[in-house]
Amino acid sequence: MQLPPPRGPLSAWLTNRLIGGDQDPAIEVGTHARPFADNDLQLALWVAYELQYRGFDGVEPGCQWDPDVVALRARLERPWIDWLEANCRILPTDRPVAEQLRALIDADDGPRLAPYLRRHAPLEQFREFVLNRSVYQLKEADPHSFAIPRLDGAAKAALVEIEADEYGGGRRDRMHSELFRTTMRWLGLDDSYGYYVRVVPAVTLAVSNVMSLFAIHCRWTGALLGHLAALEMTSTLPNRHYAAGAIRLGASEAQARYFTEHVEADAVHEQVAAHDLCGSYVQQHPDAIGDVLFGARCALAMDNLFAEHLFATWEVALRHQRRPDTAAR
Ligand SMILES: [Fe+2]
Ligand SMILES: [Fe+2]
């Protein structure tokens, strides 16, 4: 993909550096009260993280290890991690981790984006939802795959079981990222990897950046697994809504298949993720339980902030935004 246009001094510094410019390494990152909404910070983080995935056209792959780039990334992460710690860290109890994950998810009262998309959203809003989601969905499962070499035994087997499904069990036409491409093409969207990074808001970049933060640092392996568990455990019902919304708006079965696939697959994945993956991992690493729950809460928080952003953009009536019960996300 092409380097996206900078959105401020931090992303400009990084972009110039990556194309070979001589940049002052002492650039100030400053303070950020709402880092998830900061366009410059989130884009700079997204670009810095992408060097660990596929990189950019015209950027030397060795830039991944440029000490000044790595140092900037660490400084960019500081306000972001501080915000996540302040807003998403909770104390674990002595209950099994799968039970605590379930309780976290049941207690979450985020915006009711999925039912809105099912029943009310016009095609243009559904398209915007898919466009934003493409920033992660075209690399679906890639961030969590970083954990595979860090795991052992039952936890490793569980993660590989989930990831194998995400990658279509070795069949390209069943890869979730490819199914998502079919949905994008139905909506007339460009399905090239990273195409919409240049236009999406900070919060959409933040949804991906929290995964990449946890993915590239061994220190955050527990959080990465908790993040995956939260994604899997909050997937089945919303995807049923998304599928129905897509069909209402004229999608064929194939064009809605990304969503219907997740209704069935994630009913299984949520059990594997909560019990076999996080349960085994916490058994092997009892001190990691706090990080597992932290990662799960970060996933829920970012999902909610993303939904709030879309609702705010669409100026949808508040009555759609809060759910009356815990069943309908
Ligand atoms: Fe998936
Ligand atoms: Fe899944």
Side-chain angles (χ1 to χ4, degrees):
M1 66 177 288
Q2 303 286 328
L3 273 170
R7 301 186 188 179
L10 299 170
S11 47
W13 186 99
L14 188 52
T15 303
N16 289 335
R17 177 71 181 213
L18 294 179
I19 57 175
D22 198 11
Q23 300 294 110
D24 177 3
I27 181 170
E28 276 295 318
V29 168
T31 56
H32 298 262
R34 298 169 76 237
F36 61 87
D38 188 310
N39 272 299
D40 189 29
L41 181 81
Q42 291 299 336
L43 184 67
L45 276 170
W46 200 92
V47 169
Y49 289 141
E50 192 56 26
L51 299 172
Q52 326 303 314
Y53 296 92
R54 307 188 194 186
F56 300 94
D57 296 348
V59 172
E60 166 60 39
C63 286
Q64 178 188 14
W65 301 114
D66 177 333
D68 289 342
V69 170
V70 173
L72 175 69
R73 189 186 71 211
R75 296 209 304 283
L76 295 168
E77 285 172 339
R78 202 62 266 161
W80 177 221
I81 293 171
D82 288 348
W83 186 90
L84 292 167
E85 287 280 2
N87 289 277
C88 301
R89 176 68 70 176
I90 49 162
L91 275 182
T93 68
D94 54 7
R95 306 297 303 161
V97 67
E99 252 180 57
Q100 294 188 63
L101 286 166
R102 173 45 58 199
L104 263 188
I105 286 157
D106 288 348
D108 181 60
D109 65 348
R112 305 179 67 235
L113 181 62
Y116 175 77
L117 288 167
R118 175 182 190 139
R119 296 192 187 91
H120 307 288
L123 188 66
E124 199 45 51
Q125 291 178 353
F126 202 92
R127 181 184 289 120
E128 190 178 356
F129 165 71
V130 169
L131 179 156
N132 277 273
R133 286 275 301 259
S134 73
V135 170
Y136 167 59
Q137 249 63 45
L138 292 180
K139 65 161 85 167
E140 184 167 332
D142 291 347
H144 302 101
S145 294
F146 276 77
I148 294 172
R150 299 178 194 147
L151 300 182
D152 201 12
K156 193 185 199 94
L159 181 55
V160 170
E161 181 183 350
I162 294 170
E163 297 295 87
D165 281 350
E166 304 294 340
Y167 293 127
R171 284 185 49 186
R172 180 183 174 175
D173 62 326
R174 299 183 70 168
M175 286 170 65
H176 291 183
S177 52
E178 292 298 322
L179 297 178
F180 197 79
R181 283 199 155 92
T182 303
T183 303
M184 291 186 78
R185 290 194 293 268
W186 160 55
L187 292 161
L189 295 169
D190 190 313
D191 65 355
S192 323
Y193 180 86
Y195 183 81
Y196 291 107
V197 166
R198 71 192 74 183
V199 296
V200 297
V203 69
T204 297
L205 300 174
V207 168
S208 280
N209 284 341
V210 77
M211 294 183 230
S212 296
L213 165 71
F214 296 155
I216 68 160
H217 296 287
C218 290
R219 181 259 170 273
W220 291 113
T221 301
L224 184 62
L225 303 186
H227 185 284
L228 177 61
L231 287 193
E232 301 293 351
M233 294 171 82
T234 56
S235 172
T236 298
L237 186 58
N239 274 293
R240 185 171 286 132
H241 288 316
Y242 302 146
I247 299 287
R248 171 180 64 82
L249 292 166
S252 66
E253 261 180 46
Q255 289 160 339
R257 184 156 161 233
Y258 174 83
F259 304 119
T260 50
E261 178 78 13
H262 282 84
V263 174
E264 288 176 27
D266 288 345
V268 178
H269 289 176
E270 74 168 84
Q271 300 299 326
V272 178
H275 295 276
D276 304 338
L277 175 60
C278 293
S280 305
Y281 185 73
V282 167
Q283 215 167 34
Q284 294 163 355
H285 308 273
D287 292 345
I289 188 166
D291 279 356
V292 172
L293 299 175
F294 171 66
R297 256 195 121 208
C298 289
L300 299 175
M302 297 320 302
D303 199 37
N304 290 340
L305 287 167
F306 170 62
E308 279 168 18
H309 172 85
L310 285 185
F311 274 129
T313 306
W314 300 336
E315 296 179 345
V316 173
L318 271 174
R319 65 194 165 86
H320 291 307
Q321 292 196 29
R322 293 287 158 187
R323 59 181 177 174
D325 56 61
T326 55
R329 281 189 86 241

